[in-house]
Amino acid sequence: MLWPGTATAHLVTTGMGPVYDGIGHLLLTPEDIIPVVALALFGGMRGAESCRKLLMIVPLCWLLGGITGFGGTNIPDFPVQAGSLLLIGLLVAGDVRLPVPVTVGIAGLFGLLHGFMNGVTLNNELEPLGLLGITIALIVIITIVSALVVSIAEGWKRVAVRVGGSWVAASGLLMFGWYLKGA
Amino acid sequence: MKTDKSAWLVLAAWLLLMAFPFEAAAHIAGGQATGFWTGLEHPWSGLDHIVAMVAVGLWGAQLGMPALWVLPVVFPMLMSVGAMLGLLGIPVPGVEVGIAVSAVALGIMVLGEVRPGMVVAMLVVGFFAIFHGHAHGTELPAGQSGLLYSMGFILGTGCLHGVGILIGLVHYYPLGKGLLRLTGGCIAVMGLFFLWHAVT
C-alpha cells in the first residue's frame, strides 16, 4: 500500500484470494473508506454504547446491501458518497448529539447504501467472498477508530476530530457540485 | 497511552498514504489518481487567495478559543458552497473585487485586533469564503473530478489556515502582538493592491 506503483487491474488484487482482495478494496478506495472512518469518528464521539451498536449494524447492513447489490445492475442515480460525506462530516463537525436509535438508523442506511453500491460495482470484478473481506475490514476499522475517539474527552484532540469532520463535509459538498455539473 | 499515540500515528499515516495513489489507473478510481495533488495545489495558486486564507488563521489566533478553530472550519465549508456555485456556473457578482476586499477587511481586523462577537466573525469569514470558493470553482481544471481532488482542495485550504494560526501564535508573546498587527496591516495593503488591480 505504501508504493503501489502502476496499478492496472480493475480492482485491487492482492494475489491472496478474494477475501484479501475485498480487504484491499475497502482500504484503498477513498470513496468508501473516508465515510467509514468519519462514521467511526462520529460513533466514537457519541460514546461506547453507540460504538458497540455501530460495530454490529454497519458491517451487517453493508453485507446485506452488498449481497443485494450482487444481483443488481444499476447504482442509484444519486451521489451516495457525496451525501454520506456531507451528512457524517456535518455530524462530526457539529459534535451533534443524536439519540442512539437515530445514530444506529443513519449507520444502517449508510451501510446498506454503500454495501449495495459495492455489490453492484464489484459484481463482475470480485468474487462474492470479497464482500466478506470488506466486512472484516469494516469491523477492524470501526473498532480501532471509534475506540481511539471514545478515549478522547475534551480538549484539542476533540477539536481536531471536529475540524477533520468539517473537511469531510466540505469535500462532500464539493462532490455534490461535481455531480450536479455532471463531471 | 503509548499504544493510543501509536494507533493515531498509524491511522494518520495510512490516510495520508491513501491520498497518494501515484499512477493508479484502476477503472473505478479513474481520473482521480492525480486529483489529490492538483486539489492540494489549487488554493496555493494565487497570492490574493493565500493572504486572505492566512489572515483567517491569524485572526483566529488573535481572537483565541473557540474562534481559533471555528473560523478555519467556517471558511472551507462556505468556500465549498462558493465552489459549488462556480462549478454550476451560477454567477456571483464582483468575485475578484470580493477576494481583494476580503484581504483588506481581514487585514484590518488583524491590524485593529477587532473583536466582534463569534457569530459576526463567522459571518465575515463565511461571506468572503464564498467569493474565494466561486473563483476556485470556475477555475477547476477539466478532467479533474472526485473525492481526492475535493479532499486535496479542502486540505490545501486548511493548511493555509494552519500556517496563519501558527504565525498567529506570536500573539501570545508581548512583542508578537505588535508584529501580528503589523502583519495584518501588510495584508490589508496587499489587499488594496489586489483591489486596485481588480477594478482597473
Side-chain angles (χ1 to χ4, degrees):
Chain A
M1 198 185 79
L2 293 176
W3 286 276
T6 306
T8 51
H10 289 203
L11 288 169
V12 175
T13 44
T14 60
M16 293 188 287
V19 173
Y20 287 94
D21 289 351
I23 293 171
H25 172 74
L26 184 74
L27 293 179
L28 296 172
T29 307
E31 286 83 353
D32 283 336
I33 195 65
I34 293 174
V36 167
V37 170
L39 187 65
L41 291 174
F42 180 63
M45 290 173 95
R46 295 284 60 85
E49 192 195 342
S50 290
C51 288
R52 280 191 287 270
K53 291 201 163 64
L54 244 61
L55 196 53
M56 285 187 286
I57 204 82
V58 177
L60 186 66
C61 288
W62 198 296
L63 191 63
L64 286 174
I67 290 166
T68 316
F70 269 128
T73 50
N74 296 320
I75 56 170
D77 187 24
F78 177 81
V80 172
Q81 283 116 345
S84 301
L85 290 164
L86 182 59
L87 174 66
I88 300 167
L90 284 174
L91 291 174
V92 174
D95 199 358
V96 180
R97 294 174 195 282
L98 294 174
V100 174
V102 179
T103 306
V104 169
I106 290 172
L109 186 64
F110 168 86
L112 280 172
L113 284 171
H114 279 261
F116 180 78
M117 288 183 68
N118 258 195
V120 174
T121 312
L122 305 181
N123 199 1
N124 298 314
E125 307 279 347
L126 198 68
E127 288 179 40
L129 213 52
L131 206 54
L132 185 65
I134 292 175
T135 311
I136 292 166
L138 274 172
I139 292 169
V140 174
I141 290 162
I142 294 172
T143 305
I144 294 172
V145 176
S146 57
L148 283 170
V149 181
V150 162
S151 62
I152 298 172
E154 292 297 331
W156 70 267
K157 281 186 184 175
R158 199 170 182 94
V159 166
V161 171
R162 292 180 70 174
V163 171
S166 77
W167 290 355
V168 169
S171 301
L173 202 57
L174 210 52
M175 279 189 77
F176 256 121
W178 289 109
Y179 169 76
L180 293 173
K181 190 188 178 187
Chain B
M1 186 57 78
K2 197 175 176 182
T3 313
D4 182 53
K5 277 184 185 167
S6 305
W8 275 109
L9 281 173
V10 169
L11 181 67
W14 163 54
L15 285 173
L16 190 67
L17 286 166
M18 200 181 62
F20 299 90
F22 296 89
E23 297 296 327
H27 289 196
I28 284 178
Q32 298 176 19
T34 56
F36 182 80
W37 272 116
T38 337
L40 192 70
E41 286 168 4
H42 204 94
W44 299 74
S45 59
L47 193 61
D48 47 355
H49 292 296
I50 293 174
V51 293
M53 290 178 203
V54 169
V56 171
L58 293 177
W59 196 30
Q62 210 173 36
L63 294 176
M65 285 294 209
L68 181 72
W69 68 273
V70 170
L71 297 188
V73 162
V74 169
F75 195 95
M77 288 297 296
L78 271 295
M79 194 183 71
S80 293
V81 174
M84 205 164 94
L85 295 176
L87 272 168
L88 299 177
I90 297 168
V92 169
V95 171
E96 290 304 319
V97 172
I99 291 168
V101 171
S102 73
V104 177
L106 291 166
I108 288 173
M109 296 296 174
V110 178
L111 174 67
E113 209 176 326
V114 181
R115 293 182 176 276
M118 194 62 226
V119 177
V120 176
M122 286 166 68
L123 285 173
V124 169
V125 167
F127 175 72
F128 289 125
I130 290 174
F131 293 101
H132 286 267
H134 193 276
H136 286 308
T138 49
E139 290 165 4
L140 287 181
Q144 296 291 346
S145 65
L147 178 60
L148 288 178
Y149 184 95
S150 306
M151 289 297 289
F153 182 67
I154 299 300
L155 200 62
T157 307
C159 287
L160 281 169
H161 294 323
V163 168
I165 291 170
L166 283 176
I167 296 170
L169 292 178
V170 299
H171 176 71
Y172 298 98
Y173 300 93
L175 183 66
K177 282 192 180 200
L179 278 174
L180 189 57
R181 293 180 70 169
L182 186 67
T183 311
C186 291
I187 288 174
V189 171
M190 287 171 83
L192 284 173
F193 171 75
F194 297 136
L195 186 60
W196 171 73
H197 208 262
V199 295
T200 53

PDB file of all heavy atoms in Angstrom, chain B residues 159-178:
ATOM      1  N   CYS B 159      -4.469  23.874   5.322  1.00  0.00           N
ATOM      2  CA  CYS B 159      -3.033  24.097   5.581  1.00  0.00           C
ATOM      3  C   CYS B 159      -2.725  25.594   5.616  1.00  0.00           C
ATOM      4  O   CYS B 159      -1.929  26.049   6.453  1.00  0.00           O
ATOM      5  CB  CYS B 159      -2.181  23.418   4.513  1.00  0.00           C
ATOM      6  SG  CYS B 159      -2.140  21.650   4.678  1.00  0.00           S
ATOM      7  N   LEU B 160      -3.351  26.343   4.715  1.00  0.00           N
ATOM      8  CA  LEU B 160      -3.124  27.794   4.708  1.00  0.00           C
ATOM      9  C   LEU B 160      -3.633  28.428   6.006  1.00  0.00           C
ATOM     10  O   LEU B 160      -2.984  29.301   6.581  1.00  0.00           O
ATOM     11  CB  LEU B 160      -3.820  28.433   3.503  1.00  0.00           C
ATOM     12  CG  LEU B 160      -3.085  28.278   2.170  1.00  0.00           C
ATOM     13  CD1 LEU B 160      -3.970  28.690   1.005  1.00  0.00           C
ATOM     14  CD2 LEU B 160      -1.821  29.115   2.167  1.00  0.00           C
ATOM     15  N   HIS B 161      -4.790  27.978   6.451  1.00  0.00           N
ATOM     16  CA  HIS B 161      -5.291  28.471   7.740  1.00  0.00           C
ATOM     17  C   HIS B 161      -4.321  28.078   8.860  1.00  0.00           C
ATOM     18  O   HIS B 161      -4.050  28.863   9.770  1.00  0.00           O
ATOM     19  CB  HIS B 161      -6.664  27.880   8.059  1.00  0.00           C
ATOM     20  CG  HIS B 161      -7.736  28.321   7.121  1.00  0.00           C
ATOM     21  ND1 HIS B 161      -7.806  29.587   6.605  1.00  0.00           N
ATOM     22  CD2 HIS B 161      -8.808  27.661   6.611  1.00  0.00           C
ATOM     23  CE1 HIS B 161      -8.855  29.688   5.812  1.00  0.00           C
ATOM     24  NE2 HIS B 161      -9.486  28.526   5.791  1.00  0.00           N
ATOM     25  N   GLY B 162      -3.828  26.845   8.762  1.00  0.00           N
ATOM     26  CA  GLY B 162      -2.886  26.353   9.767  1.00  0.00           C
ATOM     27  C   GLY B 162      -1.628  27.206   9.818  1.00  0.00           C
ATOM     28  O   GLY B 162      -1.122  27.512  10.911  1.00  0.00           O
ATOM     29  N   VAL B 163      -1.144  27.597   8.642  1.00  0.00           N
ATOM     30  CA  VAL B 163       0.032  28.476   8.587  1.00  0.00           C
ATOM     31  C   VAL B 163      -0.286  29.782   9.312  1.00  0.00           C
ATOM     32  O   VAL B 163       0.507  30.289  10.120  1.00  0.00           O
ATOM     33  CB  VAL B 163       0.438  28.743   7.111  1.00  0.00           C
ATOM     34  CG1 VAL B 163       1.453  29.874   7.012  1.00  0.00           C
ATOM     35  CG2 VAL B 163       0.998  27.480   6.478  1.00  0.00           C
ATOM     36  N   GLY B 164      -1.488  30.303   9.023  1.00  0.00           N
ATOM     37  CA  GLY B 164      -1.919  31.546   9.670  1.00  0.00           C
ATOM     38  C   GLY B 164      -1.986  31.396  11.191  1.00  0.00           C
ATOM     39  O   GLY B 164      -1.532  32.268  11.937  1.00  0.00           O
ATOM     40  N   ILE B 165      -2.537  30.271  11.628  1.00  0.00           N
ATOM     41  CA  ILE B 165      -2.657  30.033  13.078  1.00  0.00           C
ATOM     42  C   ILE B 165      -1.277  29.948  13.723  1.00  0.00           C
ATOM     43  O   ILE B 165      -1.032  30.546  14.776  1.00  0.00           O
ATOM     44  CB  ILE B 165      -3.476  28.742  13.353  1.00  0.00           C
ATOM     45  CG1 ILE B 165      -4.940  28.965  12.967  1.00  0.00           C
ATOM     46  CG2 ILE B 165      -3.381  28.344  14.821  1.00  0.00           C
ATOM     47  CD1 ILE B 165      -5.784  27.713  12.961  1.00  0.00           C
ATOM     48  N   LEU B 166      -0.386  29.204  13.059  1.00  0.00           N
ATOM     49  CA  LEU B 166       0.971  29.055  13.615  1.00  0.00           C
ATOM     50  C   LEU B 166       1.684  30.405  13.726  1.00  0.00           C
ATOM     51  O   LEU B 166       2.297  30.708  14.751  1.00  0.00           O
ATOM     52  CB  LEU B 166       1.794  28.100  12.737  1.00  0.00           C
ATOM     53  CG  LEU B 166       1.493  26.614  12.901  1.00  0.00           C
ATOM     54  CD1 LEU B 166       2.297  25.799  11.898  1.00  0.00           C
ATOM     55  CD2 LEU B 166       1.813  26.155  14.327  1.00  0.00           C
ATOM     56  N   ILE B 167       1.560  31.201  12.670  1.00  0.00           N
ATOM     57  CA  ILE B 167       2.177  32.537  12.720  1.00  0.00           C
ATOM     58  C   ILE B 167       1.491  33.364  13.814  1.00  0.00           C
ATOM     59  O   ILE B 167       2.148  34.081  14.574  1.00  0.00           O
ATOM     60  CB  ILE B 167       2.063  33.253  11.350  1.00  0.00           C
ATOM     61  CG1 ILE B 167       2.843  32.490  10.280  1.00  0.00           C
ATOM     62  CG2 ILE B 167       2.574  34.695  11.441  1.00  0.00           C
ATOM     63  CD1 ILE B 167       2.602  32.981   8.856  1.00  0.00           C
ATOM     64  N   GLY B 168       0.164  33.205  13.869  1.00  0.00           N
ATOM     65  CA  GLY B 168      -0.627  33.996  14.820  1.00  0.00           C
ATOM     66  C   GLY B 168      -0.321  33.696  16.279  1.00  0.00           C
ATOM     67  O   GLY B 168      -0.657  34.485  17.165  1.00  0.00           O
ATOM     68  N   LEU B 169       0.328  32.560  16.530  1.00  0.00           N
ATOM     69  CA  LEU B 169       0.660  32.211  17.921  1.00  0.00           C
ATOM     70  C   LEU B 169       1.649  33.199  18.544  1.00  0.00           C
ATOM     71  O   LEU B 169       1.797  33.244  19.770  1.00  0.00           O
ATOM     72  CB  LEU B 169       1.206  30.781  17.997  1.00  0.00           C
ATOM     73  CG  LEU B 169       0.175  29.680  17.676  1.00  0.00           C
ATOM     74  CD1 LEU B 169       0.827  28.314  17.744  1.00  0.00           C
ATOM     75  CD2 LEU B 169      -1.023  29.742  18.626  1.00  0.00           C
ATOM     76  N   VAL B 170       2.313  33.991  17.689  1.00  0.00           N
ATOM     77  CA  VAL B 170       3.222  35.018  18.249  1.00  0.00           C
ATOM     78  C   VAL B 170       2.438  36.041  19.073  1.00  0.00           C
ATOM     79  O   VAL B 170       2.999  36.762  19.886  1.00  0.00           O
ATOM     80  CB  VAL B 170       4.025  35.774  17.147  1.00  0.00           C
ATOM     81  CG1 VAL B 170       4.903  34.831  16.364  1.00  0.00           C
ATOM     82  CG2 VAL B 170       3.101  36.544  16.216  1.00  0.00           C
ATOM     83  N   HIS B 171       1.135  36.045  18.861  1.00  0.00           N
ATOM     84  CA  HIS B 171       0.249  36.963  19.605  1.00  0.00           C
ATOM     85  C   HIS B 171       0.386  36.772  21.124  1.00  0.00           C
ATOM     86  O   HIS B 171       0.132  37.692  21.892  1.00  0.00           O
ATOM     87  CB  HIS B 171      -1.185  36.699  19.154  1.00  0.00           C
ATOM     88  CG  HIS B 171      -2.213  37.496  19.882  1.00  0.00           C
ATOM     89  ND1 HIS B 171      -2.354  38.859  19.697  1.00  0.00           N
ATOM     90  CD2 HIS B 171      -3.144  37.144  20.796  1.00  0.00           C
ATOM     91  CE1 HIS B 171      -3.343  39.295  20.467  1.00  0.00           C
ATOM     92  NE2 HIS B 171      -3.835  38.279  21.143  1.00  0.00           N
ATOM     93  N   TYR B 172       0.775  35.565  21.508  1.00  0.00           N
ATOM     94  CA  TYR B 172       0.851  35.272  22.941  1.00  0.00           C
ATOM     95  C   TYR B 172       2.182  35.726  23.575  1.00  0.00           C
ATOM     96  O   TYR B 172       2.432  35.457  24.735  1.00  0.00           O
ATOM     97  CB  TYR B 172       0.575  33.775  23.173  1.00  0.00           C
ATOM     98  CG  TYR B 172      -0.821  33.419  22.702  1.00  0.00           C
ATOM     99  CD1 TYR B 172      -1.044  32.845  21.451  1.00  0.00           C
ATOM    100  CD2 TYR B 172      -1.940  33.737  23.472  1.00  0.00           C
ATOM    101  CE1 TYR B 172      -2.325  32.566  20.994  1.00  0.00           C
ATOM    102  CE2 TYR B 172      -3.227  33.458  23.027  1.00  0.00           C
ATOM    103  CZ  TYR B 172      -3.414  32.877  21.789  1.00  0.00           C
ATOM    104  OH  TYR B 172      -4.687  32.623  21.337  1.00  0.00           O
ATOM    105  N   TYR B 173       2.996  36.395  22.768  1.00  0.00           N
ATOM    106  CA  TYR B 173       4.233  36.998  23.285  1.00  0.00           C
ATOM    107  C   TYR B 173       4.103  38.523  23.192  1.00  0.00           C
ATOM    108  O   TYR B 173       3.498  39.021  22.231  1.00  0.00           O
ATOM    109  CB  TYR B 173       5.444  36.516  22.468  1.00  0.00           C
ATOM    110  CG  TYR B 173       5.628  35.025  22.520  1.00  0.00           C
ATOM    111  CD1 TYR B 173       5.066  34.202  21.541  1.00  0.00           C
ATOM    112  CD2 TYR B 173       6.341  34.424  23.554  1.00  0.00           C
ATOM    113  CE1 TYR B 173       5.205  32.823  21.594  1.00  0.00           C
ATOM    114  CE2 TYR B 173       6.499  33.053  23.605  1.00  0.00           C
ATOM    115  CZ  TYR B 173       5.921  32.250  22.630  1.00  0.00           C
ATOM    116  OH  TYR B 173       6.063  30.883  22.690  1.00  0.00           O
ATOM    117  N   PRO B 174       4.646  39.245  24.148  1.00  0.00           N
ATOM    118  CA  PRO B 174       4.463  40.709  24.168  1.00  0.00           C
ATOM    119  C   PRO B 174       4.866  41.387  22.861  1.00  0.00           C
ATOM    120  O   PRO B 174       4.106  42.172  22.299  1.00  0.00           O
ATOM    121  CB  PRO B 174       5.369  41.158  25.325  1.00  0.00           C
ATOM    122  CG  PRO B 174       5.527  39.950  26.190  1.00  0.00           C
ATOM    123  CD  PRO B 174       5.427  38.762  25.291  1.00  0.00           C
ATOM    124  N   LEU B 175       6.029  41.053  22.341  1.00  0.00           N
ATOM    125  CA  LEU B 175       6.484  41.677  21.106  1.00  0.00           C
ATOM    126  C   LEU B 175       5.661  41.188  19.913  1.00  0.00           C
ATOM    127  O   LEU B 175       5.426  41.914  18.952  1.00  0.00           O
ATOM    128  CB  LEU B 175       7.979  41.350  20.892  1.00  0.00           C
ATOM    129  CG  LEU B 175       8.646  41.990  19.674  1.00  0.00           C
ATOM    130  CD1 LEU B 175       8.704  43.518  19.821  1.00  0.00           C
ATOM    131  CD2 LEU B 175      10.061  41.449  19.479  1.00  0.00           C
ATOM    132  N   GLY B 176       5.204  39.937  20.038  1.00  0.00           N
ATOM    133  CA  GLY B 176       4.464  39.313  18.949  1.00  0.00           C
ATOM    134  C   GLY B 176       3.154  40.001  18.631  1.00  0.00           C
ATOM    135  O   GLY B 176       2.718  40.027  17.471  1.00  0.00           O
ATOM    136  N   LYS B 177       2.516  40.561  19.656  1.00  0.00           N
ATOM    137  CA  LYS B 177       1.224  41.231  19.432  1.00  0.00           C
ATOM    138  C   LYS B 177       1.366  42.315  18.372  1.00  0.00           C
ATOM    139  O   LYS B 177       0.567  42.423  17.439  1.00  0.00           O
ATOM    140  CB  LYS B 177       0.711  41.851  20.734  1.00  0.00           C
ATOM    141  CG  LYS B 177       0.096  40.839  21.658  1.00  0.00           C
ATOM    142  CD  LYS B 177      -0.661  41.519  22.774  1.00  0.00           C
ATOM    143  CE  LYS B 177      -1.263  40.455  23.670  1.00  0.00           C
ATOM    144  NZ  LYS B 177      -2.341  40.931  24.479  1.00  0.00           N
ATOM    145  N   GLY B 178       2.389  43.144  18.553  1.00  0.00           N
ATOM    146  CA  GLY B 178       2.625  44.230  17.613  1.00  0.00           C
ATOM    147  C   GLY B 178       2.980  43.709  16.232  1.00  0.00           C
ATOM    148  O   GLY B 178       2.482  44.207  15.220  1.00  0.00           O
TER     149      GLY B 178
END
